[in-house]
Amino acid sequence: MKTLTKALAIGLGVTSLASCGREPAPEPTPTPTDSPRSIFEGEGVTTETPAPVLPPLETTLGFPDGTSDLTESARAELATVLRSAQFADGGRIILRGHSDSAGSDTSNLEASRERAEAVRDFLVENGVSPERIEIIAFGEQNPVQPNALPDGKPNESGRAANRRVDLVVQTGAILQDDGRKPTLIEAISEGQTEADEESEPASE
């Protein structure tokens, strides 16, 4: 029995000495997959910067002579619109016609509509689809300058500035068959346009 105990003690001592002389295990080498990863990375997720949103294009076309005829400067401005990135984007084109306060409400409304229609006709002649164009006639409602001087006399320069068409090219292609609900502004604008058309006297 003593012999067996002594043999076990010698065996354990040899094992302890062997383990003391053993070199420490090497530290694990990191692999590429062990590097820090973004929580946003994964299948179907891209880190590319989104394209900047194109702002709408807005411009004003003047009719200083009081007619609905396009001036050379208005035609040049429309040519610039047709070459713009906003126009190429395919969005809706809104034409808001305005007049001065020289005539009656009815005649001013008609004059503002004729100016917007002149702009529309130019665009259509140059290949724009009529479905892209919306006309809103305001008459004398929204002047940009006073129609009269403080003494009550006509402000000719102000009236000339008020005879205009405000053009807006919205960005974003129009859905065919209008596959979306109109915004509140669009609904109001369209309702006003229909009401104006119904209230207009038949042209001779």
Side-chain angles (χ1 to χ4, degrees):
M1 187 68 174
K2 289 182 179 180
T3 304
L4 178 60
T5 304
K6 193 180 219 179
L8 288 172
I10 293 172
L12 290 173
V14 172
T15 303
S16 298
L17 290 173
S19 64
C20 289
R22 185 180 302 164
E23 295 182 2
E27 301 220 354
T29 304
T31 62
T33 57
D34 294 329
S35 58
R37 298 181 66 189
S38 168
I39 61 173
F40 298 106
E41 292 179 359
E43 293 184 6
V45 178
T46 178
T47 57
E48 294 181 2
T49 304
V53 177
L54 197 63
L57 173 64
E58 300 182 7
T59 189
T60 297
L61 308 166
F63 293 79
D65 60 0
T67 70
S68 59
D69 298 330
L70 293 174
T71 63
E72 287 302 317
S73 61
R75 291 175 180 273
E77 182 66 16
L78 287 172
T80 301
V81 170
L82 292 172
R83 294 192 299 268
S84 68
Q86 287 89 342
F87 173 78
D89 198 45
R92 187 180 299 278
I93 301 171
I94 301 175
L95 306 176
R96 297 182 172 94
H98 304 274
S99 73
D100 60 26
S101 62
S104 66
D105 291 345
T106 301
S107 63
N108 290 338
L109 186 65
E110 182 62 26
S112 66
R113 184 179 301 281
E114 288 176 355
R115 289 169 187 141
E117 290 174 346
V119 176
R120 177 203 60 194
D121 293 345
F122 178 92
L123 294 174
V124 172
E125 288 170 4
N126 284 272
V128 181
S129 171
E131 285 72 24
R132 286 185 64 179
I133 303 172
E134 178 182 353
I135 289 178
I136 307 174
F138 286 96
E140 63 185 80
Q141 296 179 38
N142 299 314
V144 291
Q145 293 188 23
N147 284 291
L149 298 172
D151 60 4
K153 293 180 180 179
N155 180 9
E156 297 301 339
S157 62
R159 293 188 177 192
N162 293 331
R163 297 189 290 264
R164 70 195 192 278
V165 170
D166 295 328
L167 180 152
V168 178
V169 182
Q170 297 179 338
T171 53
I174 301 172
L175 297 178
Q176 294 299 320
D177 298 328
D178 204 10
R180 61 170 177 78
K181 293 180 66 177
T183 64
L184 178 60
I185 293 177
E186 289 173 341
I188 293 173
S189 299
E190 291 172 1
Q192 179 178 0
T193 302
E194 292 174 0
D196 291 343
E197 291 175 351
E198 291 175 359
S199 64
E200 283 180 14
S203 58
E204 298 179 358

